[in-house]
Amino acid sequence: PRECAASAFGEEHFDVQLVVREWMDEVPVSPEAEFRGFVHKGSLNAMTQYFSVVHFSELVENKDIIEQRVLEFFDSVKSFDQTRVICD
């Protein structure tokens, strides 16, 4: 049988958590408007499209505006523990 990553590398390296959140109508239904951010030590270090297999030219055209809005939003929600998180 195939080993899962937790048993192959030791369970102490994995802190798996399942997060369930209430659906909000304010969440965009447009796939081009969904992003995933990677936070380490309280700093937003990287961001990518959530649907990375599709190219949306409007994202490239509006990169600076999108970046500014995401950073403003991130700064407004910094009250949670941000040691290591992935934000959708």
Side-chain angles (χ1 to χ4, degrees):
R2 189 172 173 195
E3 280 188 79
C4 72
S7 64
F9 296 105
E11 290 188 26
E12 69 275 4
H13 296 287
F14 293 89
D15 180 18
V16 178
Q17 299 176 9
L18 173 65
V19 178
V20 179
R21 61 184 169 139
E22 178 182 355
W23 175 260
M24 298 173 56
D25 287 336
E26 294 82 23
V27 174
V29 292
S30 304
E32 71 276 7
E34 294 192 40
F35 302 94
R36 173 166 284 166
F38 299 87
V39 178
H40 182 69
K41 295 184 179 178
S43 178
L44 181 60
N45 294 296
M47 185 176 72
T48 185
Q49 287 178 234
Y50 190 81
F51 294 99
S52 59
V53 296
V54 181
H55 176 77
F56 298 103
S57 59
E58 58 270 18
L59 293 181
V60 177
E61 295 164 8
N62 296 300
K63 176 191 173 291
D64 294 334
I65 295 168
I66 294 168
E67 180 181 3
Q68 177 185 353
R69 289 183 181 171
V70 168
L71 289 172
E72 287 172 359
F73 175 77
F74 180 74
D75 287 340
S76 76
V77 295
K78 280 190 163 184
S79 60
F80 63 92
D81 176 19
Q82 300 177 18
T83 308
R84 292 178 298 162
V85 262
I86 296 174
C87 307
D88 289 334

